[in-house]
Amino acid sequence: MQQAIAIIDSGVGGITVAKEIMRQLPQEKIVYFGDSARSPYGPRKPEEITRFMMQIVRYLMRFQPKLLVIACNTATAVALEQVRAVVSIPVVGVICPGARAAVKKTKSGVIGVIGTECTVRSQAYDEALKDLSPKLQVLSQACPRFVPLVEHGDFHSSHALQAVRESLAPLHQQAQGKSMDCLILGCTHYPFLQGAISGVMGSGVELINSAEETARETSTVLHHHGQLAKSWEQPDHHFLCSGNPVLFQRIAQEWLNANIQVTPVVWHSPKYV
Ligand code: DGL
């Protein structure tokens, strides 16, 4: 049996990371878990998000994955170390890869970060960026309206565009006269809105998405452990979703440009353990 890479997100956002892993590592099997029933994670407390992560990680262990990708910035910010402490397989988060991608691109040294309330409050990007380059200036803005739009498949409506415009207005204010040249999409759902975000930010600001660098790190870690899949047969991916599987399937298929089957997962306790 081919061991899979397990990928976790609060919903469909991690599909943006899964797509890049599929592109860079086409021989790898993926088991994806989207916790859409409890999305968004952004407004929740760190302890609650950590508890959800532990529950999902326990659940996914039945598939005996060889590596775990926490394809959620919010969960990476608050639970990466706790997850690493309880599993014996490598765990890759999305924040350090996102920070690395931005540091490679910026020329001005002024980097914007947009993410959920929890991610922005945690200052995980500020720390990761300043660890890489202490002189960087980081401007952060929470955009709590974005994840619900994406979870409903609403990327192009006038309502979505207005939400993007209004949510980014405070960042524009902060950035005035500061030559910000990169904006980290610090939530894996945001690439779904990248057309609108880019339209509002203008051509002078490059949007940075952590997917490519996260896939590269996944590949490096698997290589290091001698665990890259050797078979060149088409892998049989597995998508699991705790919320509406039909909606999840529609949004994921559109992004992946491929047909997928989605298995619904119903948490047994109404309190979700
Ligand atoms: N995709 C998650 C992230 O990267 C979204 C979190 C949420 O559900 O609010 O942060």
Side-chain angles (χ1 to χ4, degrees):
M1 183 190 74
Q2 186 188 348
Q3 270 190 295
I5 297 172
I7 303 180
I8 306 177
D9 181 43
S10 64
V12 288
I15 290 290
T16 59
V17 178
K19 182 174 184 175
E20 190 55 30
I21 292 178
M22 290 172 183
R23 192 184 71 78
Q24 291 188 29
L25 299 168
Q27 72 279 26
E28 296 294 341
K29 176 183 165 82
I30 284 169
V31 174
Y32 183 95
F33 190 101
D35 196 11
S36 313
R38 301 185 292 200
S39 167
Y41 280 7
R44 296 179 185 274
K45 294 214 165 66
E47 307 77 57
E48 190 177 32
I49 298 165
T50 304
R51 187 159 54 80
F52 291 172
M53 277 299 115
M54 294 302 182
Q55 183 194 16
I56 297 167
V57 168
R58 266 201 308 276
Y59 177 85
L60 287 177
M61 284 304 137
R62 73 192 61 196
F63 297 97
Q64 299 178 346
K66 57 183 172 184
L67 181 142
L68 194 59
V69 179
I70 303 187
C72 174
N73 292 264
T74 311
T76 299
V78 302
L80 180 66
E81 292 315 320
Q82 286 97 318
V83 171
R84 282 189 171 143
V86 298
V87 297
S88 55
I89 55 173
V91 183
V92 173
V94 282
I95 290 185
C96 287
R100 267 201 311 274
V103 169
K104 282 183 192 168
K105 284 276 157 66
T106 186
K107 291 195 173 63
S108 67
V110 185
I111 295 177
V113 179
I114 51 174
T116 67
E117 307 93 302
C118 181
T119 301
V120 169
R121 213 178 304 121
S122 75
Q123 301 200 321
Y125 268 105
D126 307 57
E127 285 166 21
L129 287 164
K130 289 193 173 150
D131 276 352
L132 292 169
S133 181
K135 289 207 178 113
L136 289 173
Q137 190 176 355
V138 184
L139 310 175
S140 308
Q141 179 64 49
C143 299
R145 292 163 73 185
F146 290 4
V147 171
L149 286 173
V150 174
E151 284 294 317
H152 287 97
D154 184 2
F155 322 129
H156 307 299
S157 70
S158 55
H159 169 68
L161 290 181
Q162 190 184 346
V164 169
R165 220 176 289 119
E166 288 172 4
S167 301
L168 295 177
L171 181 68
H172 264 301
Q173 285 266 311
Q174 277 193 73
Q176 268 187 8
K178 288 200 176 121
S179 65
M180 178 177 90
D181 61 354
C182 289
L183 177 64
I184 298 178
L185 304 181
C187 170
T188 54
H189 282 73
Y190 295 179
F192 282 94
L193 293 166
Q194 83 189 14
I197 296 171
S198 156
V200 172
M201 295 311 295
S203 56
V205 177
E206 185 164 353
L207 303 187
I208 309 288
N209 164 349
S210 60
E212 204 179 311
E213 196 75 32
T214 303
R216 206 167 294 132
E217 182 167 327
T218 301
S219 167
T220 306
V221 173
L222 287 177
H223 176 71
H224 178 77
H225 286 81
Q227 282 194 312
L228 282 167
K230 298 195 173 55
S231 153
W232 284 96
E233 278 168 34
Q234 185 76 17
D236 184 19
H237 304 307
H238 205 139
F239 294 86
L240 303 145
C241 165
S242 64
N244 179 340
V246 177
L247 186 55
F248 181 97
Q249 183 190 38
R250 177 168 72 71
I251 300 168
Q253 286 191 158
E254 192 180 323
W255 189 262
L256 294 172
N257 202 15
N259 289 330
I260 61 165
Q261 297 305 317
V262 180
T263 308
V265 174
V266 180
W267 296 126
H268 294 299
S269 154
K271 287 264 178 233
Y272 302 120
V273 187

